[in-house]
Amino acid sequence: MRSGRLADAAGTAALGAWMAFAALTALVVSHQGGPLYPDRELLSWSVGHRPPAAVAVARALTATGTGVVPYVLVVLAGLIAGRSARQRLVAVPLGALCLGAGQAVRYGVMDLVARARPPGPDWRTPASGWSFPSGHTTTAALTAGLLILALCLRAPRARVLLCPLVACWGAGVGLTRVYLGVHWFTDVVGGWLFAVGWLGVLGCAAARWPAGRHAPRAPGHGPSHPSDTADGPVERHAPQDPHRRGRSRPA
């Protein structure tokens, strides 16, 4: 896919995700942070289906959506994406910056919306802060997106198996937040939409980055003389001998 088409696709995905996120945020605010239609039903189902083994697995999975694990995976994504040591030295901090900046913006949205979490007695794991959008969900989705992008770029054979696994991990972290009772389902949906929008904006910017603008011209390409133009070289005549000027051609 050409860079222009890739930028258009990423921009379209970002626009759609941000529009949906804005609509969901407005809906949450209009309900004063209260649960929406699917929230209570899914929380009630989770409370009624919590065998100890499932809760232990959910706690282990949800713990990978925060702390050092996402940043380790982003570093791995940068190492995969770079072909050379120099490229990896650029890709690794850029991936970490993308994740960190996304988390910072998400914190700002959480403070603005200020949505309360579900009732404390339903919790099965510690939690703090506001509820919308889910922080674990957003972080895991951003990390999964960066890792999938790196695999698609540099590991075409492994991506068939690894990309679905990474996507399932990213989605699974979000679902555990509802299962463990610390987030409403719409908090999780908001985290997914935020991550898609954030990754789409960065993908569009990366695809449109003018990497070759200042690259040297290859021999034989482009104007080779100051008087040459985009319409072709200007015809140049040899200088005329001043002694021949005015002479008539012999009959």
Side-chain angles (χ1 to χ4, degrees):
M1 183 180 291
R2 294 181 179 179
S3 60
R5 293 182 179 179
L6 181 60
D8 291 341
T12 301
L15 179 61
W18 285 124
M19 290 177 64
F21 180 78
L24 180 59
T25 303
L27 192 60
V28 169
V29 172
S30 68
H31 283 71
Q32 298 180 349
L36 302 181
Y37 171 71
D39 291 332
R40 291 191 184 276
E41 287 75 10
L42 290 175
L43 180 62
S44 298
W45 183 92
S46 300
V47 172
H49 298 79
R50 286 177 176 171
V55 172
V57 171
R59 284 175 175 171
L61 181 57
T62 204
T64 63
T66 188
V68 68
V69 174
Y71 283 93
V72 170
L73 293 177
V74 166
V75 169
L76 177 62
L79 294 176
I80 294 173
R83 289 183 176 179
S84 63
R86 184 176 181 179
Q87 290 180 350
R88 293 182 182 118
L89 287 175
V90 174
V92 169
L94 279 180
L97 179 62
C98 169
L99 180 58
Q103 289 177 318
V105 175
R106 188 260 309 168
Y107 272 116
V109 175
M110 290 181 74
D111 288 338
L112 288 174
V113 177
R115 188 186 198 185
R117 292 179 181 269
D122 294 330
W123 295 8
R124 290 298 178 270
T125 190
S128 62
W130 299 112
S131 189
F132 181 90
S134 167
H136 284 65
T137 301
T138 305
T139 301
L142 287 173
T143 304
L146 292 172
L147 190 53
I148 288 172
L149 178 61
L151 290 171
C152 290
L153 288 174
R154 297 289 178 257
R157 296 181 179 179
R159 68 184 179 185
V160 177
L161 175 63
L162 294 179
C163 287
L165 291 177
V166 174
C168 288
W169 167 76
V173 169
L175 294 176
T176 60
R177 307 306 288 170
V178 180
Y179 184 73
L180 296 172
V182 293
H183 275 290
W184 303 111
F185 179 68
T186 46
D187 298 335
V188 173
V189 175
W192 288 335
L193 291 173
F194 182 94
V196 172
W198 188 254
L199 291 172
V201 169
L202 296 177
C204 182
R208 293 189 180 279
W209 187 262
R213 179 176 294 180
H214 302 290
R217 293 182 179 273
H221 291 78
S224 57
H225 190 274
S227 61
D228 290 349
T229 65
D231 298 326
V234 176
E235 185 179 357
R236 294 182 292 274
H237 301 280
Q240 195 174 20
D241 187 357
H243 298 288
R244 294 177 58 89
R245 195 174 296 171
R247 295 182 183 179
S248 60
R249 181 176 297 179

